[in-house]
Amino acid sequence: MFHEISRQRPAPSRQPSALRAEDHNLCGIPQAKNYGLIQSLWIIAFWFLMSPTITLAQPSLAASSNQVQDRVVKIYGAGGVGGLDAYQSGFIVSPTGHVATAWSSVLDVDPIVILGDGRRFESKIVGFEPELELAVLKIDAADLPFFEVPKSSDQESKGRWGDPVLAVSNLFNIATGNEPASVLQGRIAARSQLDARRGTFQTAYRGEVWLVDLVANNPGAAGGALVDLRGNLIGMLGKELRDRKTGVWLNYAIPADVLRGPIGDIIAGRKTVLPSTDEPLLARDDSHSPGSLGTGLIPDVLELTPVYIDTITPNSPASRSELRPDDLVLLVNGRRVAHQRDFRDQLRRIDRRDNVILTIQRENEILEADLRP
Amino acid sequence: MMFPTTNAARVSLVALSLLISQSTTSGEELPRSIAYQQAVAERIREIADRVLPSIVSVETIGVLQSDGEVRQDAPTTGIVIDVSGLVLASSWVSRSEAASIIVTTAGGQRFPAKIVGRDEHRELVLLKIDPKDAPVQPLELSGATVTPPIGSTMVAIGRYGEANVPIISSGVLSAVDRLDGTAIQSDVRISPTFYGGPLLDLNGNVCGILIPAVGENGADDPTAWYDSGIAFAVPTDVIAAKIERLKNGETIRAGLMGLVVGGSDPYAPGTTISTIRKRSPADRAGLQSGDELVRVADRKVRRRQEIKLALGRFDAGDEVELEVRRGDEIKIVSATLVETIEPLRPQAIGVRLDGLKVTAVLKNSPADGVVEIGDELKRLDDVDIEDAASLRQRLWASDPDTPLKLNVLRSGDKKEELSITPQAIGGKWTQWSFDTLAVSNSDHWNASELRLPDVVNSAWLWSPAVATDPKTESTDDAVGGTMVNSSTSLLVILLPPSQRDVQAKLEAWKDEAKFQNVAICLIASEEDQKWQLSEIDAVSKLTTAAIKQSAADVNAVSLASASIIEMAKQVDNKRSTDDGNPADSMALAVSLSTDNLFQGVAIPDSTQPPAIRLRRDAPMRLLRILMTTSTDDDLPPWSETLTRIGCPIQTIGAVDREDLLTWCRSLLFL
């Protein structure tokens, strides 16, 4: 019934006059000043809607869709690792250039962000919440249009099952440059915990999600915006997720109220995962190192070798913690270490007598290991 | 089922719309769209809230897989329909043996359930839980439910996950009368979670129950279309009519009638019955071949496809009224459908016809000494014989060891009534003598490459040069009246993927083929590693072209895998044939997937059965299978399927080219 709203190329935002005229024609209502007439037509329209006959009017969602286009961005990574796609979507969450997106391998190197108007920026990863599959990028820009990330107590924008929603993303990398993102419409199907049966879904996220009744989660859609018809952000589109047991694909978004706290903290600078450079480099004998922790890493043969644990030394801080071979180290004391050079560099800034907290990924789980010297 | 408050809801909706439009007289578009969409959202929640107390989730636990592993399935949905704890769910929960079925009610209580009844025709099961003191709120499925018009907004409702939360999807009603009249269709975007859940209209009427299903020949897995905007549901009024049978523990299955309408094109006009299966509902109702079907239940029928649609909704045990025209007479009969019809045991008498005139009789066949060359066949068991094709069908469907009454016209004017006992086609292939066979008098045989648009397979044809202009003769001529080279058969041979030089391979066949008057068409696979099922269409097109070019009798077209000959030669090489040859499977797949394009297929017993789905609505199969067997004569277990669909299996120890071509010629005989 509401099918044709997914416009490939909507008119530029802020110029909706042409679309408005079209909408009037769709509704069969001329540009009338007689509001009484409009009201009575509306009554008729709703009667048609509720009666079993075909509806007369189909209000357009052009305005709903246009107002969010300038806040959705395209994100590109280094490309093509292991056949994975090197593109995804994101959305702007501060006027000063913070971009929220889904954490994925696209972000292994500092990604490129392309705004809705076609401007292109290099970005830094400033925020990283592995358990939410959330990353926040920062680009060097100002006065950008942005989404307010709503609180959970904010009923107005929380959304409920049954509500109409738009999923705005660059799925399949259809759009490039300043081409608008793709808009898909549907409804919130449910709000639910992901099925927690072990290994069912390959994701670290364990909280509640919005399930949607549209095929929103396709390659490139991750990090896109799920919005209500007023243009309020209600969630971030997740990565493609498939039930390993049944093979069924899941279409979901991580609710905005869940993302609000972490995004707020990152924007306010209360939390950052940027590798620390404020702390001084200590003498090798005074600082930590992979060896001092009792971790042997996989051979560092690449420029950006990921921090995979290969061996654990007996009777070491690592052996006394939960750390195991094949764990991937993501954060050191909350700071992101993208590769082994970063890892060594960060450890050089920590006193050998201090504890080190490693955030690691083990298959689908995100765990913290507290390494005590 | 209509909720009493529906009108009140409409009024409140209108009030809402009034409010919205008053508050937005500034000309803004946005609020109006929002109002519309939010009103629909409110309505969806209102509808859902009413039925949700009756919506449960159904989980199967401990499903044993074929590999011995225990599988855990995601829960699906069910509907409580009775205070005693009857729950309607989809066949998803019964498709494999589960250690336990658990129903979780709206209140979050879990109960073990057992299966009471199954509707295998509609992919539904009826479960029973013992709710004890726990209150359950049943949903009434009314037999008076009317399916809304196509295009109406529909809502699917289910329960999801461990928290049992409501899950919805909206869409429109896409179609009615789908899946042979058993289902309605909607574009609500459902995942398998919704199976067993209700499909409602915006008035809150439960219009159907969602089921796992795909369209015919759609996919192997019934869930394959879950995200494609195609969802099927069984209409509520139909379920209401069946529910008592399910409560009584019955298993409902599709009903079969046992009549065959002639013609190869199901969409061509014509509903004349060519064959009535013995002891079938159609037989018991007194229908005869030659009757023209006019009406099935309340539907007029004009084509075979329409008969299938009209019959498709009925179950075994249902009584169906049929109206037929027999001559000038209109007859109305009633038939009670059955679950299964015993498979055909195809029979033959051993005559070759030109039109309806006998041109040859096989020695030692049932016709030998009964029918004479030159006899014109008129009636079989008191029913006129229309043409050779319908006679073939009727003989194919006749009873074993039962004499048939055959009326013939002898020497032009003498009426004779003969009695003839047909002989089963299956079993060890006995080479009926071919002494009387006239061999083609065409000395000119040509080898030519077959090239067709869209077909990349290499194919060569060895066939007699046809004297007449090939354009003026259609293959139809070969069925009925006068025939050019009437005795030419056609053998299509699929080469193993490794063999690429088709023209060279043809050489070995030429002399024997010409001698026996069997045209040969060799086809190579598209790729040199494998035959693919997607090439069925190409083989079918090439065969049609070969029939046309060779002017072969369309009733004597057969298919063989080249390995059936190779194997005989390679026994000495001790070549392992355990893996089967891709061309073997392909030959079987092609012959079963086409509508009587081939009357015979020759394969070794080491053939791996192909992964194809046998169409339920296929016209009566007239396919005989020649299978080479190893010394012990044991047929592979999968060959039972062939017998069950009425394909006789003829066995032979090993074949050389001469045997194979002789067998091809035997297809010319009825």
Side-chain angles (χ1 to χ4, degrees), chain B residues 11 131 177 234 239 259 327 338 345 405 473 483 508 520 557 588:
Chain B
V11 171
D177 232 10
V234 180
I239 299 172
L259 58 80
V338 293
R345 289 162 63 190
K405 194 164 80 178
E473 94 191 297
M483 286 185 278
I520 300 284
V557 179
L588 191 57

Side-chain angles (χ1 to χ4, degrees), chain B residues 542-566:
Chain B
L542 287 166
T543 304
T544 309
I547 294 171
K548 201 153 194 169
Q549 198 168 324
S550 64
D553 186 331
V554 293
N555 291 311
V557 179
S558 45
L559 183 66
S561 163
S563 71
I564 200 169
I565 302 293
E566 310 281 320

Side-chain angles (χ1 to χ4, degrees), chain A residues 5-242:
Chain A
I5 56 91
S6 162
R7 288 166 189 274
Q8 285 276 324
R9 293 168 186 273
S13 55
R14 315 244 173 257
Q15 293 177 14
S17 55
L19 288 168
R20 281 183 193 170
E22 189 185 324
D23 292 349
H24 280 297
N25 292 336
L26 269 176
C27 298
I29 303 170
Q31 291 267 19
K33 293 274 179 268
N34 185 340
Y35 297 124
L37 173 67
I38 290 176
Q39 282 168 15
S40 55
L41 280 168
W42 263 97
I43 294 170
I44 293 167
F46 272 96
W47 273 103
F48 270 98
L49 164 69
M50 288 300 128
S51 66
T53 50
I54 304 297
T55 52
L56 180 69
Q58 181 165 270
S60 161
L61 300 179
S64 303
S65 142
N66 281 339
Q67 65 186 337
V68 298
Q69 281 288 359
D70 56 3
R71 292 163 226 187
V72 174
V73 305
K74 308 166 189 79
I75 297 175
Y76 296 90
V81 181
L84 293 172
D85 300 306
Y87 55 86
Q88 62 183 38
S89 308
F91 52 89
I92 306 172
V93 289
S94 84
T96 52
H98 289 89
V99 173
T101 185
W103 171 58
S104 82
S105 60
V106 173
L107 311 180
D108 280 352
V109 292
D110 290 337
I112 301 293
V113 170
I114 296 184
L115 302 187
D117 59 13
R119 279 187 289 164
R120 182 189 159 97
F121 291 90
E122 288 182 357
S123 71
K124 284 268 170 243
I125 299 170
V126 294
F128 181 26
E129 291 289 335
E131 285 151 38
L132 299 182
E133 304 223 310
L134 167 74
V136 177
L137 316 180
K138 175 75 172 67
I139 59 171
D140 196 7
D143 298 328
L144 297 175
F146 67 101
F147 282 115
E148 297 267 10
V149 186
K151 283 188 287 232
S152 60
S153 57
D154 191 353
Q155 276 301 333
E156 173 73 7
S157 57
K158 190 179 174 191
R160 290 174 65 191
W161 57 271
D163 278 348
V165 289
L166 300 177
V168 188
S169 74
N170 188 21
L171 75 168
F172 291 113
N173 197 24
I174 296 167
T176 57
N178 68 347
E179 289 180 287
S182 299
V183 180
L184 280 67
Q185 71 90 40
R187 290 187 186 282
I188 295 176
R191 177 154 174 151
S192 170
Q193 210 93 24
L194 282 177
D195 197 334
R197 288 170 298 152
R198 188 171 165 73
T200 304
F201 290 109
Q202 208 163 2
T203 171
Y205 184 64
R206 288 286 174 261
E208 286 190 336
V209 293
W210 294 122
L211 297 177
V212 290
D213 79 338
L214 65 158
V215 188
N217 300 68
N218 269 308
L226 188 72
V227 301
D228 69 14
L229 298 189
R230 292 177 195 275
N232 297 314
L233 183 79
I234 57 172
M236 176 179 79
L237 298 177
K239 294 190 277 197
E240 290 173 273
L241 214 50
R242 188 175 202 182

Side-chain angles (χ1 to χ4, degrees), chain B residues 5 52 92-93 186 295 332 351 407 419 456 467 480 521 523 556 589 602 636 638 663:
Chain B
T5 50
L52 275 168
W92 182 264
V93 301
S186 169
R295 176 171 62 81
I332 293 175
V351 296
N407 296 84
S419 175
V456 296
C521 176
I523 305 177
W638 55 264
W663 175 77

Side-chain angles (χ1 to χ4, degrees), chain B residues 639-670:
Chain B
S639 67
E640 275 170 35
T641 308
L642 298 173
T643 313
R644 204 170 61 235
I645 60 173
C647 296
I649 300 175
Q650 299 174 308
T651 59
I652 187 166
V655 287
D656 55 16
R657 291 201 169 81
E658 186 185 340
D659 297 332
L660 186 59
L661 294 175
T662 307
W663 175 77
C664 293
R665 279 199 300 152
S666 75
L667 300 183
L668 287 165
F669 289 79
L670 304 184

Side-chain angles (χ1 to χ4, degrees), chain B residues 237-570:
Chain B
D237 56 335
V238 175
I239 299 172
K242 307 288 174 194
I243 208 78
E244 280 307 313
R245 289 182 66 183
L246 294 178
K247 283 182 186 171
N248 292 336
E250 287 183 47
T251 297
I252 297 174
R253 297 194 175 90
L256 300 174
M257 179 66 87
L259 58 80
V260 178
V261 170
S264 58
D265 180 2
Y267 308 102
T271 59
T272 306
I273 299 171
S274 62
T275 312
I276 299 283
R277 299 286 288 270
K278 291 282 156 57
R279 292 172 296 279
S280 70
D283 188 27
R284 279 190 279 265
L287 295 183
Q288 296 175 1
S289 60
D291 289 351
E292 191 186 337
L293 271 170
V294 178
R295 176 171 62 81
V296 173
D298 55 351
R299 298 188 188 198
K300 294 273 181 201
V301 289
R302 287 158 299 177
R303 302 173 181 87
R304 195 172 86 212
Q305 164 74 3
E306 294 170 8
I307 298 171
K308 176 181 167 250
L309 271 182
L311 279 174
R313 335 166 247 162
F314 294 104
D315 302 327
D318 284 355
E319 193 167 304
V320 180
E321 194 177 84
L322 301 169
E323 185 178 325
V324 297
R325 185 179 294 120
R326 182 177 302 163
D328 299 331
E329 214 184 330
I330 288 284
K331 278 181 148 352
I332 293 175
V333 300
S334 176
T336 306
L337 301 185
V338 293
E339 254 175 57
T340 52
I341 289 177
E342 57 183 281
L344 289 175
R345 289 162 63 190
Q347 309 287 312
I349 55 174
V351 296
R352 205 184 69 209
L353 301 178
D354 180 1
L356 288 174
K357 207 165 233 173
V358 176
T359 57
V361 175
L362 286 176
K363 282 219 169 130
N364 304 323
S365 74
D368 192 11
V370 180
V371 179
E372 291 177 9
I373 290 175
D375 284 356
E376 191 171 346
L377 308 185
K378 301 303 273 185
R379 291 163 73 80
L380 184 73
D381 270 0
D382 295 326
V383 178
D384 286 347
I385 298 168
E386 299 271 325
D387 50 33
S390 69
L391 176 62
R392 186 184 283 265
Q393 285 193 347
R394 287 172 61 188
L395 286 172
W396 198 268
S398 61
D399 278 344
D401 310 322
T402 308
L404 296 168
K405 194 164 80 178
L406 182 64
N407 296 84
V408 303
L409 210 55
R410 187 158 290 172
S411 316
D413 54 355
K414 214 164 66 186
K415 288 181 180 166
E416 295 272 356
E417 186 173 305
L418 313 171
S419 175
I420 189 165
T421 307
Q423 196 173 322
I425 294 175
K428 201 147 185 107
W429 185 47
T430 51
Q431 300 192 19
W432 290 339
S433 166
F434 280 87
D435 293 351
T436 56
L437 196 79
V439 172
S440 161
N441 46 18
S442 171
D443 280 338
H444 300 286
W445 281 57
N446 299 328
S448 57
E449 184 168 18
L450 290 177
R451 288 177 186 274
L452 296 176
D454 309 329
V455 173
V456 296
N457 302 63
S458 169
W460 280 78
L461 175 69
W462 174 244
S463 64
V466 179
T468 52
D469 181 4
K471 279 178 191 146
T472 61
E473 94 191 297
S474 74
T475 51
D476 289 350
D477 293 337
V479 186
T482 55
M483 286 185 278
V484 183
N485 275 328
S486 63
S487 55
T488 304
S489 311
L490 173 67
L491 174 62
V492 178
I493 300 169
L494 303 185
L495 294 174
S498 57
Q499 296 182 5
R500 313 305 299 166
D501 191 347
V502 183
Q503 192 179 7
K505 286 284 160 194
L506 195 56
E507 289 303 320
W509 291 92
K510 283 185 174 174
D511 289 346
E512 184 66 29
K514 186 176 170 185
F515 178 71
Q516 297 221 35
N517 197 19
V518 179
I520 300 284
C521 176
L522 292 187
I523 305 177
S525 58
E526 188 176 327
E527 291 176 30
D528 61 6
Q529 300 292 323
K530 59 193 174 195
W531 274 98
Q532 299 167 87
L533 292 178
S534 55
E535 293 170 71
I536 290 176
D537 191 45
V539 173
S540 156
K541 281 177 178 161
L542 287 166
T543 304
T544 309
I547 294 171
K548 201 153 194 169
Q549 198 168 324
S550 64
D553 186 331
V554 293
N555 291 311
V557 179
S558 45
L559 183 66
S561 163
S563 71
I564 200 169
I565 302 293
E566 310 281 320
M567 277 176 55
K569 282 196 295 184
Q570 289 180 1

